Amino acid sequence: RFRREARARRRVAIGTKLAVYPWRLRGEDFEDACRASLRRMGESRMELVQAHWSAANFQPWQEPALWDGLARCYEAGLAGAVGTSNFGPKQLRKANAHWASRGVPHSANQVQLSLLSTLPLESGLLEASSELGVTPIGYSPLALGLLSGKYDADSVPAGPRGVLFRQLAPGLAPLLDTLREVSRARGKSVSQVAINWVMCQGAVVIVGIRTPEQAADNLGALGWRLSKAEQDALTEEARRVPKKATQNIFQTA
């Protein structure tokens, strides 16, 4: 509906993720899932079809079917490109080589990336992505809100997030202080600085929003760039944090 009603239709890109459910054992099963997704959206084609996760960690026998299925989606004209999620550099290279052999464009890899989740930098994933021409998509750039500047060790949200925040917040003070220092110097919010740091790593950013005010604030991360000195200061403080964000269980090597 949004795409149909959008004034600038060409700027609206539609994609879907295909989960590696246990009953999807053939490439045809993933192609069928993509077709079903298109029917639900009332579309005949989408820009991107992604693997929701790699099967390598828990169901490795399904990985060939997953790769074949995404390729079939492209070859059938259902999607303009394929993508991955939570693939580390080793698995990314394997999947990319498979698709390259079939002439299938591998355009994106979505991974957890923030000042509290720097594995893509440390594992060589960002370098591999650049080498292969795969765009990194960084999700959870605010670490569920820990890097928004709204919380500290004495102020945490209710519910499950609060349990996680109580574990991580006590060691975050120096990093949060540096974020606030940069935000004051830049005239930006703490959230905007944290998001911009992820963008400076070469990633497209996905930010969760619940209110129009949050959406407007997030847009303030665009149109400027942290200096190298600012990036380095934030990265150094992030390295010193004693406890980082929990990694996605499907993240591969």
Side-chain angles (χ1 to χ4, degrees):
R1 177 182 175 184
F2 178 81
R3 180 167 182 158
R4 289 193 296 269
E5 296 177 1
R7 294 180 180 178
R9 178 183 172 93
R10 286 181 297 178
R11 295 188 62 189
V12 180
I14 291 180
T16 195
K17 288 182 177 180
L18 303 182
V20 191
Y21 292 135
W23 53 86
R24 292 177 179 166
L25 299 174
R26 306 170 304 155
E28 293 93 324
D29 298 328
F30 291 94
E31 181 182 349
D32 289 345
C34 183
R35 292 184 184 277
S37 182
L38 284 168
R39 284 195 298 271
R40 289 191 296 272
M41 291 188 288
E43 297 283 337
S44 60
R45 187 177 185 275
M46 65 183 73
E47 279 69 35
L48 178 66
V49 59
Q50 288 178 264
H52 207 326
W53 61 79
S54 168
N57 288 352
F58 302 104
Q59 303 142 281
W61 56 88
Q62 284 182 269
E63 195 79 342
L66 172 64
W67 298 355
D68 176 53
L70 292 180
R72 291 171 67 98
C73 293
Y74 172 79
E75 292 163 351
L78 306 178
V82 304
T84 43
S85 301
N86 303 305
F87 277 51
K90 182 179 179 181
Q91 203 68 5
L92 188 78
R93 291 182 186 279
K94 290 179 181 178
N96 184 272
H98 173 83
W99 290 321
S101 72
R102 296 172 64 166
V104 176
H106 179 192
S107 67
N109 183 42
Q110 186 172 323
V111 291
Q112 187 174 331
L113 178 58
S114 74
L115 283 161
L116 291 181
S117 183
T118 55
L119 180 62
L121 281 71
E122 298 154 4
S123 68
L125 176 60
L126 296 185
E127 289 85 349
S129 298
S130 177
E131 176 189 332
L132 299 173
V134 177
T135 299
I137 301 176
Y139 70 84
S140 200
L142 298 179
L144 301 177
L146 270 168
L147 300 175
S148 67
K150 299 176 183 177
Y151 307 104
D152 56 33
D154 300 317
S155 174
V156 299
R161 276 200 310 160
V163 176
L164 176 63
F165 282 27
R166 288 186 187 92
Q167 296 174 7
L168 301 181
L172 290 185
L175 175 57
L176 291 175
D177 287 345
T178 304
L179 280 167
R180 293 187 180 104
E181 181 181 334
V182 175
S183 74
R184 286 192 295 270
R186 283 281 185 171
K188 300 291 183 180
S189 71
V190 171
S191 292
Q192 290 165 359
V193 173
I195 293 169
N196 194 272
W197 180 88
V198 176
M199 295 167 61
C200 287
Q201 310 314 307
V204 174
V205 180
I206 292 180
V207 189
I209 55 174
R210 291 187 295 176
T211 67
E213 291 76 20
Q214 287 178 338
D217 185 66
N218 291 341
L219 287 173
L222 302 175
W224 61 283
R225 183 180 177 87
L226 289 165
S227 69
K228 185 178 185 304
E230 290 168 331
Q231 292 179 53
D232 289 346
L234 290 167
T235 302
E236 182 58 31
E237 288 298 343
R239 287 197 186 102
R240 294 174 180 171
V241 172
K243 192 168 186 177
K244 302 293 183 66
T246 303
Q247 288 297 311
N248 190 300
I249 62 170
F250 293 109
Q251 179 65 47
T252 70

